[in-house]
Amino acid sequence: MTVWISRVPATEARPGPLHGLTMALKDNIDLAGVPTTGGDPRNTVPAARNAFVVDRLVEAGAVPLGKTNLDQYATGLVGTRSPYGACHSVYSAEHISGGSSAGSAVAVASGEVDFALGTDTAGSGRVPAAFNGIVGIKPSKGLVSTSGVIPACRSLDCVTVFARTVATARRAFDVMVDFDAADPYARELPRAAPLSGVPRIGVPDRPLGLDPLHEKAWAEALDRAAEVGAVVPVDVGALLETADLLYSGPWLAERWLAFGDKLDDDPAVDPTVRSIVRRGAGLTASETFAGFDRLAELRRQSEPLWAVVDALLLPVTESHPTLAEVAADPVGVNSRMGRFTNMVNLLDLCAVAFPGPLREDGLPFGVQLLAPAGHDDLVIDLASRWCGEEEILLAVAG
Amino acid sequence: MTVWISRVPATEARPGPLHGLTMALKDNIDLAGVPTTGGDPRNTVPAARNAFVVDRLVEAGAVPLGKTNLDQYATGLVGTRSPYGACHSVYSAEHISGGSSAGSAVAVASGEVDFALGTDTAGSGRVPAAFNGIVGIKPSKGLVSTSGVIPACRSLDCVTVFARTVATARRAFDVMVDFDAADPYARELPRAAPLSGVPRIGVPDRPLGLDPLHEKAWAEALDRAAEVGAVVPVDVGALLETADLLYSGPWLAERWLAFGDKLDDDPAVDPTVRSIVRRGAGLTASETFAGFDRLAELRRQSEPLWAVVDALLLPVTESHPTLAEVAADPVGVNSRMGRFTNMVNLLDLCAVAFPGPLREDGLPFGVQLLAPAGHDDLVIDLASRWCGEEEILLAVAG
C-alpha cells in the first residue's frame, strides 16, 4: 500500500520537548519545499513555508519524515479514495485503513514514525486511529492553527495528532496548541479545570446497531468504562441526528468552495470525491441558513447531556469494512462510517479516539471520548487512565 | 402618521418591578389574541400566546397598549416601508422616523408609552432611537429570547427596548434577559464585571464623512466623551467593512428563508422590501460560506480594538434623511443609514443608542456605545453616566 506520497531526509532535531521524535504529515499540511498534493498529483508546486503547526513542532524538536497518503482533499473516511492507491489496516490486508488521514495512521501504527498529523472534519482523525489500533486526538475547533492546511470545510477543519500512546500524542498536542492570529477560525479557549473525583462517563442508553464483532468489543468497553468512572446512560439521539446533517446539510458547499475548481474530468480526480462534492455546487444560501437553524436546534437538544456527564463514550465506527465492501458501495459504506464521528465538529466538541478491546477476529476496535470544546485535557486524562498509562506514569514517578 | 397597527385595552398591572409601566410592541412580536402582522396586513390570524419576552414583561407588571408600525418584515432602517403608511420623526414632519422599529420609537418619544419593544438585526433598534431623541438598548445576541418574534435573519435578530431614559430602558432590559431553552439561538452569557476606573472610550481615528449638521453634533459628542472617560482613537476600518457585508454578503438569504414566500405580487407587499429580499433567492451555499470566511477575517481584524477600549463610540447614522430623500432613492438612502449599525450583530457586539447633542437645526443626534457580547451592563452604565442619570440617581439616593 502507498503510505507515503513523499519522503524527506531527516534533519537534525532541535532541542525541545519533542526532541528526537519523528513525525509524518498528512499531505494536506504544508512542509516547506515539498508539494502539498492533497492527494491530487496535479498539485506539484512546493510549499513556500511550513504550516503554522509544523513550525511549532519542528521548533520543539520533532523531525518530519514526509507526507502521507489520504482520501483526496480529505474527503472520505475510508482511505481508498486516492490516486496514489488505497491503504489498508495494519491489522489486515483485506480491511480498510480508514481515512481520510490514512497514511498518517498507518505510518504511526507500523512504527515508521513516533507521531503523525492528520486532519479531522467529519472523523478523519479518529476513524483511521480506530482501524489501526492507535490514539488520535481531535482538538477543540480553533485550538490548533489551520494556516497552511488545504481546507475541506474551513469552519470545521481541525488538525489532529496520531500516536501509539496517549502520552506521546499529548506531548505533540501540547506543542500544537498555540493561538495563530492569522487563522480567522483560531480561538483561545479557557482550559477546563482538571478532573476531580469520579468521572461521569455517558454511554448511549439504547443499542447502536453495531456489527456483531464490534458489538461484543463494545460490551467489553462498557465494562472498562465502569472501572474508569461512573457510567451514566444518556440519550444520544440529537448527536446522531446531527451526524446525518453533515452530508445532508449545506456543508458540502464548503468543500465545493475550497476545491471545487479542481474537480474536473481529469483522471487524477477521484470519481467518488468528485461526485459527492459536486452536489455542493447546487445548494442555495437559504438551504444553508436552514441547515444552520436545524443545527442550532440539535445543539440545543444535545446540551442537557453535558450537565450530567463529564465525557461521552462512543464507538468510533459501527463496523470495520473490507476494501471490497467499499469498492462495492463507496458512498454508502463511507456514510455509515461517520455515524458516530460527523457531529463532533458541528457541535463544537473535542475528542480523543483510542484502542478499546480487540475484536474476537483480532482486529482493533476504537472507542472515543467526547466533551464540549475546551475540555481537551479532560478527555485526554480520561483516555490515559483508561489505557492504564496514568498508572505507568505514576509508577515511573514513584 | 400611523404609529399603531393595533391597540388593546389596558389590563390591570401585576405587581412587580415594572408595575404601572405601559409598553408598546413592534408588530413582529406576538401579543396573545392580536394578529402579528409584521407590517403585512394579510397576516390576520391572532397570536395564540405572548412572545416569551412579552410574558416576562407582563409578569413583571408592564401593561401592553398595542402593536406598532414597522418597515415590513423588519426589513429597512427608514420607517417608510409599510402599507400602513410612513412614520416621521417626532421632531420633524419632513424627516424620517427611522426604522424598522418606527412606531415603537415614536410611541415612546411622544410619551404614549413608557417603553417599547423593537427588534434589531441591522440597526432597527438604534436608528429610530437616534431619530427620535430616545434611548435604545440592543442586547447581546441570544440574551433576550426571540421565541414568538417573526424572524428577519434568525441568526442575528435581537429584541430591543426603547425608553426616554437609560434608567427606564434598563428596568425593562433587566426583566427581558431570561434564558429561553426553546430558542435555539438563545445563550447564557457570563456578565462582564462592572466598570472600574476611568472608562476607555474608543473613537474613530479618522473622519467618518458625516452630513455637516451631524458633523458638528459629533464634534460636541467627542467633547462629552472626554468628560465621561479617556478617549482612545482607534481604527474602525474592519467594523465599517463588516457593515457593508450585511447586504453584500449572504444574509439576505436568511430573510428569503424566513418570509420569501410572502413576497409575491400582492399590493400588500412593500415593493422595496420585495426587490431587496428577492435577491436572497439567487445566492448559493458556497457564496454563503465565502461570506462567513470573510466575516471571520474581519472579526479577527476587529478584535485588537477591544484590548485597548472598554467601549466604542460611534454616531448611529451619518445623516438624518427626509421622507422625500428616501422616496427618491429608497435603497441607497437606506443602505447608507446602516453604515455604523449593520456590523454590530455580525461581530457579536452589544450596543446602546442614546441622545447626543442636538443638531443646530434642532433635530436629535444619536450616538451609540458598542462593546463585545456580554458587556451589556458596561455600555448601559456608560450611557447612564453620559446622560447624567447616574448623578441624578446618586442625588436621589443621597
Side-chain angles (χ1 to χ4, degrees), chain A residues 154 181 183 185-186 250 253 257 283-285 288-290 292-293 300, chain B residues 154 181 183 185-186 250 253 257 283-285 288-290 292-293 300:
Chain A
R154 266 189 88 182
D183 172 5
Y185 288 102
L257 174 67
L283 296 167
T284 68
T288 307
F289 285 108
F292 290 142
D293 289 347
R300 175 56 39 82
Chain B
R154 266 189 87 182
D183 172 5
Y185 288 102
L257 175 68
L283 296 167
T284 68
T288 306
F289 285 108
F292 290 141
D293 289 346
R300 176 55 40 82

PDB file of all heavy atoms in Angstrom, chain A residues 154 181 183 185-186 250 253 257 283-285 288-290 292-293 300, chain B residues 154 181 183 185-186 250 253 257 283-285 288-290 292-293 300:
ATOM      1  N   ARG A 154     -13.748  24.874   5.940  1.00  0.00           N
ATOM      2  CA  ARG A 154     -12.909  25.793   6.735  1.00  0.00           C
ATOM      3  C   ARG A 154     -13.451  26.038   8.126  1.00  0.00           C
ATOM      4  O   ARG A 154     -12.695  26.211   9.072  1.00  0.00           O
ATOM      5  CB  ARG A 154     -12.796  27.154   6.033  1.00  0.00           C
ATOM      6  CG  ARG A 154     -11.591  27.287   5.177  1.00  0.00           C
ATOM      7  CD  ARG A 154     -11.419  28.719   4.697  1.00  0.00           C
ATOM      8  NE  ARG A 154     -10.663  29.539   5.632  1.00  0.00           N
ATOM      9  CZ  ARG A 154     -10.420  30.837   5.460  1.00  0.00           C
ATOM     10  NH1 ARG A 154     -10.896  31.455   4.389  1.00  0.00           N
ATOM     11  NH2 ARG A 154      -9.721  31.514   6.345  1.00  0.00           N
ATOM     12  N   ALA A 181      -3.053  34.209  15.186  1.00  0.00           N
ATOM     13  CA  ALA A 181      -3.958  35.311  14.821  1.00  0.00           C
ATOM     14  C   ALA A 181      -4.246  35.337  13.321  1.00  0.00           C
ATOM     15  O   ALA A 181      -5.263  35.894  12.897  1.00  0.00           O
ATOM     16  CB  ALA A 181      -3.368  36.642  15.269  1.00  0.00           C
ATOM     17  N   ASP A 183      -5.044  32.875  11.486  1.00  0.00           N
ATOM     18  CA  ASP A 183      -6.107  31.915  11.157  1.00  0.00           C
ATOM     19  C   ASP A 183      -7.428  32.483  11.679  1.00  0.00           C
ATOM     20  O   ASP A 183      -7.648  32.531  12.885  1.00  0.00           O
ATOM     21  CB  ASP A 183      -5.799  30.566  11.820  1.00  0.00           C
ATOM     22  CG  ASP A 183      -6.948  29.573  11.694  1.00  0.00           C
ATOM     23  OD1 ASP A 183      -7.953  29.892  11.012  1.00  0.00           O
ATOM     24  OD2 ASP A 183      -6.850  28.477  12.276  1.00  0.00           O
ATOM     25  N   TYR A 185     -10.241  31.351  11.996  1.00  0.00           N
ATOM     26  CA  TYR A 185     -11.052  30.433  12.800  1.00  0.00           C
ATOM     27  C   TYR A 185     -10.335  29.991  14.080  1.00  0.00           C
ATOM     28  O   TYR A 185     -10.874  29.187  14.847  1.00  0.00           O
ATOM     29  CB  TYR A 185     -11.499  29.239  11.956  1.00  0.00           C
ATOM     30  CG  TYR A 185     -12.566  29.627  10.940  1.00  0.00           C
ATOM     31  CD1 TYR A 185     -12.261  29.819   9.597  1.00  0.00           C
ATOM     32  CD2 TYR A 185     -13.870  29.844  11.352  1.00  0.00           C
ATOM     33  CE1 TYR A 185     -13.230  30.202   8.683  1.00  0.00           C
ATOM     34  CE2 TYR A 185     -14.857  30.230  10.443  1.00  0.00           C
ATOM     35  CZ  TYR A 185     -14.526  30.399   9.108  1.00  0.00           C
ATOM     36  OH  TYR A 185     -15.496  30.793   8.221  1.00  0.00           O
ATOM     37  N   ALA A 186      -9.126  30.500  14.290  1.00  0.00           N
ATOM     38  CA  ALA A 186      -8.420  30.175  15.536  1.00  0.00           C
ATOM     39  C   ALA A 186      -9.098  30.867  16.708  1.00  0.00           C
ATOM     40  O   ALA A 186      -9.684  31.926  16.561  1.00  0.00           O
ATOM     41  CB  ALA A 186      -6.964  30.629  15.439  1.00  0.00           C
ATOM     42  N   PRO A 250     -25.773  21.740   4.456  1.00  0.00           N
ATOM     43  CA  PRO A 250     -25.101  22.606   3.477  1.00  0.00           C
ATOM     44  C   PRO A 250     -23.581  22.475   3.402  1.00  0.00           C
ATOM     45  O   PRO A 250     -22.971  23.070   2.518  1.00  0.00           O
ATOM     46  CB  PRO A 250     -25.470  24.005   3.978  1.00  0.00           C
ATOM     47  CG  PRO A 250     -25.613  23.855   5.462  1.00  0.00           C
ATOM     48  CD  PRO A 250     -26.196  22.474   5.659  1.00  0.00           C
ATOM     49  N   ALA A 253     -21.076  22.348   0.431  1.00  0.00           N
ATOM     50  CA  ALA A 253     -20.757  23.554  -0.344  1.00  0.00           C
ATOM     51  C   ALA A 253     -19.450  24.184   0.112  1.00  0.00           C
ATOM     52  O   ALA A 253     -18.795  24.899  -0.655  1.00  0.00           O
ATOM     53  CB  ALA A 253     -21.890  24.570  -0.227  1.00  0.00           C
ATOM     54  N   LEU A 257     -16.531  25.166  -2.337  1.00  0.00           N
ATOM     55  CA  LEU A 257     -15.868  26.476  -2.315  1.00  0.00           C
ATOM     56  C   LEU A 257     -14.356  26.299  -2.225  1.00  0.00           C
ATOM     57  O   LEU A 257     -13.590  27.020  -2.866  1.00  0.00           O
ATOM     58  CB  LEU A 257     -16.382  27.269  -1.107  1.00  0.00           C
ATOM     59  CG  LEU A 257     -15.727  28.618  -0.808  1.00  0.00           C
ATOM     60  CD1 LEU A 257     -16.049  29.627  -1.901  1.00  0.00           C
ATOM     61  CD2 LEU A 257     -16.188  29.152   0.552  1.00  0.00           C
ATOM     62  N   LEU A 283     -26.307  23.704  -4.028  1.00  0.00           N
ATOM     63  CA  LEU A 283     -27.010  24.118  -2.807  1.00  0.00           C
ATOM     64  C   LEU A 283     -27.183  25.635  -2.771  1.00  0.00           C
ATOM     65  O   LEU A 283     -26.327  26.376  -3.247  1.00  0.00           O
ATOM     66  CB  LEU A 283     -26.229  23.649  -1.577  1.00  0.00           C
ATOM     67  CG  LEU A 283     -26.120  22.126  -1.428  1.00  0.00           C
ATOM     68  CD1 LEU A 283     -25.081  21.754  -0.369  1.00  0.00           C
ATOM     69  CD2 LEU A 283     -27.478  21.528  -1.061  1.00  0.00           C
ATOM     70  N   THR A 284     -28.283  26.078  -2.175  1.00  0.00           N
ATOM     71  CA  THR A 284     -28.567  27.519  -2.126  1.00  0.00           C
ATOM     72  C   THR A 284     -28.212  28.098  -0.760  1.00  0.00           C
ATOM     73  O   THR A 284     -28.043  27.387   0.234  1.00  0.00           O
ATOM     74  CB  THR A 284     -30.056  27.798  -2.381  1.00  0.00           C
ATOM     75  OG1 THR A 284     -30.812  27.301  -1.266  1.00  0.00           O
ATOM     76  CG2 THR A 284     -30.541  27.140  -3.661  1.00  0.00           C
ATOM     77  N   ALA A 285     -28.176  29.420  -0.739  1.00  0.00           N
ATOM     78  CA  ALA A 285     -27.898  30.127   0.516  1.00  0.00           C
ATOM     79  C   ALA A 285     -29.018  29.903   1.526  1.00  0.00           C
ATOM     80  O   ALA A 285     -28.754  29.722   2.717  1.00  0.00           O
ATOM     81  CB  ALA A 285     -27.724  31.613   0.238  1.00  0.00           C
ATOM     82  N   THR A 288     -28.665  26.757   3.161  1.00  0.00           N
ATOM     83  CA  THR A 288     -27.561  26.821   4.116  1.00  0.00           C
ATOM     84  C   THR A 288     -28.042  27.346   5.464  1.00  0.00           C
ATOM     85  O   THR A 288     -27.765  26.755   6.519  1.00  0.00           O
ATOM     86  CB  THR A 288     -26.442  27.720   3.560  1.00  0.00           C
ATOM     87  OG1 THR A 288     -26.096  27.248   2.268  1.00  0.00           O
ATOM     88  CG2 THR A 288     -25.222  27.706   4.469  1.00  0.00           C
ATOM     89  N   PHE A 289     -28.770  28.450   5.427  1.00  0.00           N
ATOM     90  CA  PHE A 289     -29.265  29.011   6.692  1.00  0.00           C
ATOM     91  C   PHE A 289     -30.274  28.069   7.347  1.00  0.00           C
ATOM     92  O   PHE A 289     -30.309  27.960   8.576  1.00  0.00           O
ATOM     93  CB  PHE A 289     -29.857  30.405   6.468  1.00  0.00           C
ATOM     94  CG  PHE A 289     -28.809  31.464   6.265  1.00  0.00           C
ATOM     95  CD1 PHE A 289     -28.584  32.036   5.026  1.00  0.00           C
ATOM     96  CD2 PHE A 289     -28.016  31.869   7.333  1.00  0.00           C
ATOM     97  CE1 PHE A 289     -27.604  33.005   4.846  1.00  0.00           C
ATOM     98  CE2 PHE A 289     -27.034  32.843   7.171  1.00  0.00           C
ATOM     99  CZ  PHE A 289     -26.826  33.416   5.919  1.00  0.00           C
ATOM    100  N   ALA A 290     -31.055  27.366   6.549  1.00  0.00           N
ATOM    101  CA  ALA A 290     -31.980  26.386   7.131  1.00  0.00           C
ATOM    102  C   ALA A 290     -31.188  25.286   7.837  1.00  0.00           C
ATOM    103  O   ALA A 290     -31.573  24.813   8.912  1.00  0.00           O
ATOM    104  CB  ALA A 290     -32.880  25.799   6.042  1.00  0.00           C
ATOM    105  N   PHE A 292     -28.245  25.670   9.227  1.00  0.00           N
ATOM    106  CA  PHE A 292     -27.725  26.249  10.476  1.00  0.00           C
ATOM    107  C   PHE A 292     -28.814  26.308  11.544  1.00  0.00           C
ATOM    108  O   PHE A 292     -28.538  26.077  12.720  1.00  0.00           O
ATOM    109  CB  PHE A 292     -27.169  27.647  10.233  1.00  0.00           C
ATOM    110  CG  PHE A 292     -25.904  27.645   9.441  1.00  0.00           C
ATOM    111  CD1 PHE A 292     -25.651  28.620   8.502  1.00  0.00           C
ATOM    112  CD2 PHE A 292     -24.951  26.650   9.621  1.00  0.00           C
ATOM    113  CE1 PHE A 292     -24.483  28.624   7.755  1.00  0.00           C
ATOM    114  CE2 PHE A 292     -23.771  26.640   8.883  1.00  0.00           C
ATOM    115  CZ  PHE A 292     -23.552  27.631   7.944  1.00  0.00           C
ATOM    116  N   ASP A 293     -30.032  26.650  11.107  1.00  0.00           N
ATOM    117  CA  ASP A 293     -31.141  26.688  12.074  1.00  0.00           C
ATOM    118  C   ASP A 293     -31.359  25.299  12.677  1.00  0.00           C
ATOM    119  O   ASP A 293     -31.548  25.145  13.884  1.00  0.00           O
ATOM    120  CB  ASP A 293     -32.432  27.161  11.388  1.00  0.00           C
ATOM    121  CG  ASP A 293     -32.397  28.642  11.039  1.00  0.00           C
ATOM    122  OD1 ASP A 293     -31.513  29.363  11.533  1.00  0.00           O
ATOM    123  OD2 ASP A 293     -33.269  29.076  10.256  1.00  0.00           O
ATOM    124  N   ARG A 300     -28.970  22.661  20.762  1.00  0.00           N
ATOM    125  CA  ARG A 300     -29.730  22.931  21.993  1.00  0.00           C
ATOM    126  C   ARG A 300     -30.228  21.635  22.621  1.00  0.00           C
ATOM    127  O   ARG A 300     -30.128  21.420  23.825  1.00  0.00           O
ATOM    128  CB  ARG A 300     -30.896  23.879  21.655  1.00  0.00           C
ATOM    129  CG  ARG A 300     -31.877  24.185  22.771  1.00  0.00           C
ATOM    130  CD  ARG A 300     -31.252  24.748  24.034  1.00  0.00           C
ATOM    131  NE  ARG A 300     -30.178  25.686  23.833  1.00  0.00           N
ATOM    132  CZ  ARG A 300     -30.328  26.985  23.573  1.00  0.00           C
ATOM    133  NH1 ARG A 300     -31.533  27.493  23.501  1.00  0.00           N
ATOM    134  NH2 ARG A 300     -29.300  27.760  23.377  1.00  0.00           N
TER     135      ARG A 300
ATOM    136  N   ARG B 154     -32.577  34.977  11.369  1.00  0.00           N
ATOM    137  CA  ARG B 154     -32.690  34.283  12.662  1.00  0.00           C
ATOM    138  C   ARG B 154     -31.397  34.259  13.440  1.00  0.00           C
ATOM    139  O   ARG B 154     -31.406  34.310  14.664  1.00  0.00           O
ATOM    140  CB  ARG B 154     -33.130  32.824  12.441  1.00  0.00           C
ATOM    141  CG  ARG B 154     -34.612  32.620  12.542  1.00  0.00           C
ATOM    142  CD  ARG B 154     -34.951  31.131  12.525  1.00  0.00           C
ATOM    143  NE  ARG B 154     -34.908  30.548  13.867  1.00  0.00           N
ATOM    144  CZ  ARG B 154     -35.139  29.246  14.121  1.00  0.00           C
ATOM    145  NH1 ARG B 154     -35.418  28.415  13.121  1.00  0.00           N
ATOM    146  NH2 ARG B 154     -35.089  28.789  15.346  1.00  0.00           N
ATOM    147  N   ALA B 181     -34.810  28.164  26.730  1.00  0.00           N
ATOM    148  CA  ALA B 181     -34.246  26.963  26.100  1.00  0.00           C
ATOM    149  C   ALA B 181     -34.930  26.636  24.774  1.00  0.00           C
ATOM    150  O   ALA B 181     -34.365  25.954  23.922  1.00  0.00           O
ATOM    151  CB  ALA B 181     -34.352  25.772  27.050  1.00  0.00           C
ATOM    152  N   ASP B 183     -35.574  28.685  22.410  1.00  0.00           N
ATOM    153  CA  ASP B 183     -34.995  29.497  21.332  1.00  0.00           C
ATOM    154  C   ASP B 183     -33.607  28.957  21.038  1.00  0.00           C
ATOM    155  O   ASP B 183     -32.688  29.112  21.840  1.00  0.00           O
ATOM    156  CB  ASP B 183     -34.920  30.964  21.783  1.00  0.00           C
ATOM    157  CG  ASP B 183     -34.152  31.840  20.799  1.00  0.00           C
ATOM    158  OD1 ASP B 183     -33.761  31.342  19.717  1.00  0.00           O
ATOM    159  OD2 ASP B 183     -33.939  33.026  21.112  1.00  0.00           O
ATOM    160  N   TYR B 185     -31.258  29.952  19.347  1.00  0.00           N
ATOM    161  CA  TYR B 185     -30.179  30.944  19.309  1.00  0.00           C
ATOM    162  C   TYR B 185     -29.989  31.649  20.653  1.00  0.00           C
ATOM    163  O   TYR B 185     -29.140  32.531  20.775  1.00  0.00           O
ATOM    164  CB  TYR B 185     -30.415  31.942  18.171  1.00  0.00           C
ATOM    165  CG  TYR B 185     -30.170  31.308  16.812  1.00  0.00           C
ATOM    166  CD1 TYR B 185     -31.226  30.895  15.995  1.00  0.00           C
ATOM    167  CD2 TYR B 185     -28.872  31.084  16.365  1.00  0.00           C
ATOM    168  CE1 TYR B 185     -30.993  30.294  14.766  1.00  0.00           C
ATOM    169  CE2 TYR B 185     -28.632  30.480  15.140  1.00  0.00           C
ATOM    170  CZ  TYR B 185     -29.693  30.088  14.342  1.00  0.00           C
ATOM    171  OH  TYR B 185     -29.452  29.487  13.133  1.00  0.00           O
ATOM    172  N   ALA B 186     -30.782  31.270  21.660  1.00  0.00           N
ATOM    173  CA  ALA B 186     -30.603  31.863  22.986  1.00  0.00           C
ATOM    174  C   ALA B 186     -29.308  31.362  23.597  1.00  0.00           C
ATOM    175  O   ALA B 186     -28.873  30.243  23.324  1.00  0.00           O
ATOM    176  CB  ALA B 186     -31.776  31.491  23.890  1.00  0.00           C
ATOM    177  N   PRO B 250     -24.185  37.048   2.342  1.00  0.00           N
ATOM    178  CA  PRO B 250     -25.253  36.061   2.145  1.00  0.00           C
ATOM    179  C   PRO B 250     -26.510  36.268   2.988  1.00  0.00           C
ATOM    180  O   PRO B 250     -27.490  35.564   2.787  1.00  0.00           O
ATOM    181  CB  PRO B 250     -24.574  34.753   2.571  1.00  0.00           C
ATOM    182  CG  PRO B 250     -23.568  35.157   3.600  1.00  0.00           C
ATOM    183  CD  PRO B 250     -23.068  36.513   3.151  1.00  0.00           C
ATOM    184  N   ALA B 253     -30.318  36.016   2.193  1.00  0.00           N
ATOM    185  CA  ALA B 253     -30.960  34.702   2.009  1.00  0.00           C
ATOM    186  C   ALA B 253     -31.665  34.247   3.278  1.00  0.00           C
ATOM    187  O   ALA B 253     -32.606  33.451   3.223  1.00  0.00           O
ATOM    188  CB  ALA B 253     -29.923  33.663   1.587  1.00  0.00           C
ATOM    189  N   LEU B 257     -35.411  33.023   3.353  1.00  0.00           N
ATOM    190  CA  LEU B 257     -35.834  31.790   4.014  1.00  0.00           C
ATOM    191  C   LEU B 257     -36.991  32.064   4.979  1.00  0.00           C
ATOM    192  O   LEU B 257     -37.940  31.286   5.077  1.00  0.00           O
ATOM    193  CB  LEU B 257     -34.643  31.201   4.781  1.00  0.00           C
ATOM    194  CG  LEU B 257     -34.902  29.956   5.651  1.00  0.00           C
ATOM    195  CD1 LEU B 257     -35.232  28.743   4.790  1.00  0.00           C
ATOM    196  CD2 LEU B 257     -33.671  29.647   6.521  1.00  0.00           C
ATOM    197  N   LEU B 283     -28.813  33.530  -4.180  1.00  0.00           N
ATOM    198  CA  LEU B 283     -27.485  33.305  -3.590  1.00  0.00           C
ATOM    199  C   LEU B 283     -27.228  31.809  -3.390  1.00  0.00           C
ATOM    200  O   LEU B 283     -28.142  31.046  -3.088  1.00  0.00           O
ATOM    201  CB  LEU B 283     -27.375  34.038  -2.251  1.00  0.00           C
ATOM    202  CG  LEU B 283     -27.474  35.572  -2.345  1.00  0.00           C
ATOM    203  CD1 LEU B 283     -27.672  36.189  -0.965  1.00  0.00           C
ATOM    204  CD2 LEU B 283     -26.222  36.137  -2.999  1.00  0.00           C
ATOM    205  N   THR B 284     -25.967  31.416  -3.524  1.00  0.00           N
ATOM    206  CA  THR B 284     -25.619  29.998  -3.400  1.00  0.00           C
ATOM    207  C   THR B 284     -25.027  29.697  -2.019  1.00  0.00           C
ATOM    208  O   THR B 284     -24.606  30.593  -1.285  1.00  0.00           O
ATOM    209  CB  THR B 284     -24.575  29.581  -4.451  1.00  0.00           C
ATOM    210  OG1 THR B 284     -23.343  30.238  -4.143  1.00  0.00           O
ATOM    211  CG2 THR B 284     -25.021  29.968  -5.861  1.00  0.00           C
ATOM    212  N   ALA B 285     -24.962  28.405  -1.738  1.00  0.00           N
ATOM    213  CA  ALA B 285     -24.379  27.956  -0.474  1.00  0.00           C
ATOM    214  C   ALA B 285     -22.885  28.295  -0.417  1.00  0.00           C
ATOM    215  O   ALA B 285     -22.382  28.707   0.628  1.00  0.00           O
ATOM    216  CB  ALA B 285     -24.588  26.455  -0.304  1.00  0.00           C
ATOM    217  N   THR B 288     -22.365  31.708   0.485  1.00  0.00           N
ATOM    218  CA  THR B 288     -22.654  31.889   1.907  1.00  0.00           C
ATOM    219  C   THR B 288     -21.428  31.586   2.753  1.00  0.00           C
ATOM    220  O   THR B 288     -21.036  32.377   3.621  1.00  0.00           O
ATOM    221  CB  THR B 288     -23.815  30.968   2.317  1.00  0.00           C
ATOM    222  OG1 THR B 288     -24.905  31.224   1.448  1.00  0.00           O
ATOM    223  CG2 THR B 288     -24.235  31.230   3.760  1.00  0.00           C
ATOM    224  N   PHE B 289     -20.800  30.441   2.482  1.00  0.00           N
ATOM    225  CA  PHE B 289     -19.605  30.098   3.255  1.00  0.00           C
ATOM    226  C   PHE B 289     -18.462  31.086   2.978  1.00  0.00           C
ATOM    227  O   PHE B 289     -17.691  31.412   3.887  1.00  0.00           O
ATOM    228  CB  PHE B 289     -19.179  28.658   2.971  1.00  0.00           C
ATOM    229  CG  PHE B 289     -20.067  27.646   3.655  1.00  0.00           C
ATOM    230  CD1 PHE B 289     -20.960  26.869   2.945  1.00  0.00           C
ATOM    231  CD2 PHE B 289     -20.006  27.491   5.035  1.00  0.00           C
ATOM    232  CE1 PHE B 289     -21.786  25.947   3.585  1.00  0.00           C
ATOM    233  CE2 PHE B 289     -20.823  26.577   5.688  1.00  0.00           C
ATOM    234  CZ  PHE B 289     -21.717  25.803   4.959  1.00  0.00           C
ATOM    235  N   ALA B 290     -18.370  31.570   1.745  1.00  0.00           N
ATOM    236  CA  ALA B 290     -17.342  32.586   1.453  1.00  0.00           C
ATOM    237  C   ALA B 290     -17.615  33.839   2.283  1.00  0.00           C
ATOM    238  O   ALA B 290     -16.686  34.482   2.793  1.00  0.00           O
ATOM    239  CB  ALA B 290     -17.333  32.909  -0.043  1.00  0.00           C
ATOM    240  N   PHE B 292     -19.062  33.902   5.226  1.00  0.00           N
ATOM    241  CA  PHE B 292     -18.678  33.595   6.606  1.00  0.00           C
ATOM    242  C   PHE B 292     -17.159  33.666   6.785  1.00  0.00           C
ATOM    243  O   PHE B 292     -16.669  34.129   7.806  1.00  0.00           O
ATOM    244  CB  PHE B 292     -19.175  32.214   7.022  1.00  0.00           C
ATOM    245  CG  PHE B 292     -20.656  32.145   7.174  1.00  0.00           C
ATOM    246  CD1 PHE B 292     -21.367  31.029   6.761  1.00  0.00           C
ATOM    247  CD2 PHE B 292     -21.358  33.192   7.726  1.00  0.00           C
ATOM    248  CE1 PHE B 292     -22.740  30.970   6.900  1.00  0.00           C
ATOM    249  CE2 PHE B 292     -22.741  33.142   7.870  1.00  0.00           C
ATOM    250  CZ  PHE B 292     -23.427  32.027   7.449  1.00  0.00           C
ATOM    251  N   ASP B 293     -16.444  33.165   5.778  1.00  0.00           N
ATOM    252  CA  ASP B 293     -14.983  33.236   5.847  1.00  0.00           C
ATOM    253  C   ASP B 293     -14.533  34.696   5.919  1.00  0.00           C
ATOM    254  O   ASP B 293     -13.661  35.054   6.717  1.00  0.00           O
ATOM    255  CB  ASP B 293     -14.344  32.565   4.619  1.00  0.00           C
ATOM    256  CG  ASP B 293     -14.486  31.048   4.633  1.00  0.00           C
ATOM    257  OD1 ASP B 293     -14.835  30.483   5.692  1.00  0.00           O
ATOM    258  OD2 ASP B 293     -14.243  30.430   3.578  1.00  0.00           O
ATOM    259  N   ARG B 300     -11.623  38.893  13.157  1.00  0.00           N
ATOM    260  CA  ARG B 300     -10.271  38.803  13.683  1.00  0.00           C
ATOM    261  C   ARG B 300      -9.571  40.171  13.614  1.00  0.00           C
ATOM    262  O   ARG B 300      -8.923  40.605  14.568  1.00  0.00           O
ATOM    263  CB  ARG B 300      -9.494  37.743  12.875  1.00  0.00           C
ATOM    264  CG  ARG B 300      -8.021  37.575  13.208  1.00  0.00           C
ATOM    265  CD  ARG B 300      -7.718  37.288  14.674  1.00  0.00           C
ATOM    266  NE  ARG B 300      -8.639  36.388  15.329  1.00  0.00           N
ATOM    267  CZ  ARG B 300      -8.602  35.070  15.255  1.00  0.00           C
ATOM    268  NH1 ARG B 300      -7.669  34.474  14.571  1.00  0.00           N
ATOM    269  NH2 ARG B 300      -9.500  34.343  15.889  1.00  0.00           N
TER     270      ARG B 300
END
